Amino acid sequence: MAIEKIVLKALDSEVSAYAESMKRIVKEEAHVKTGALRDSISIEKKGECEYLVGVDAGKLKSDPRNIGGIDYSVPYHDGHRAYKIVAKKAKALRWVGKDGRVHYAKSVQIPASTGDPFIERAVKRRPRLGG
């Protein structure tokens, strides 16, 4: 039984290092408009020698740079249809444009996006197991 624990500990250490490598690669592939998505990428230990690398939705939602406070990782990754945002609780939407000026509108049309499959790119770059 002792040898089994030694082997599992060594394997877990190896898999943990691999997960850290994947986390680094996924972060490199993610966009950095505000950095919220990139900073929400984390590792979750699921079990012995089992790790999950991906976007932590709770961390993304609570990030102060994520103004809407939503998990936008799936539509960002997979793409989305065009849609309209309408002011509900206020008379108008308010945002600061790229020009640094404040803009107002009753509604805004968000164009369709084909997505940014950063996870697929990261998987293609993954290191080989066993060196």
Side-chain angles (χ1 to χ4, degrees):
M1 214 41 131
I3 192 76
E4 181 180 335
K5 286 183 181 182
I6 293 169
V7 170
L8 282 175
K9 185 176 179 182
L11 283 174
D12 192 61
S13 176
E14 189 78 23
V15 174
S16 175
Y18 187 84
E20 285 293 337
S21 299
M22 284 306 300
K23 176 182 167 187
R24 180 186 50 76
I25 293 168
V26 172
K27 282 186 172 211
E28 288 171 2
E29 292 294 339
H31 81 290
V32 288
K33 186 174 181 180
T34 66
L37 179 65
R38 177 178 276 182
D39 290 347
S40 71
I41 295 167
S42 59
I43 300 172
E44 179 183 346
K45 184 168 180 157
K46 301 297 276 183
E48 197 136 19
C49 299
E50 184 180 1
Y51 294 82
L52 178 64
V53 178
V55 175
D56 180 336
K59 198 171 183 182
L60 179 58
K61 288 179 188 179
S62 65
D63 192 305
R65 295 169 292 182
N66 181 357
I67 295 168
I70 61 168
D71 177 8
Y72 60 84
S73 60
V74 173
Y76 178 81
H77 184 274
D78 296 344
H80 57 80
R81 298 188 311 197
Y83 60 95
K84 189 178 204 176
I85 298 175
V86 181
K88 290 183 179 178
K89 295 180 181 178
K91 291 182 181 181
L93 301 169
R94 178 188 181 279
W95 71 96
V96 178
K98 291 180 182 176
D99 57 3
R101 295 176 45 200
V102 177
H103 300 272
Y104 298 92
K106 289 186 183 234
S107 66
V108 179
Q109 185 69 30
I110 304 298
S113 168
T114 56
D116 178 13
F118 63 95
I119 299 289
E120 279 84 356
R121 290 194 307 271
V123 169
K124 287 179 182 175
R125 290 182 51 205
R126 72 187 180 275
R128 289 186 42 179
L129 281 172

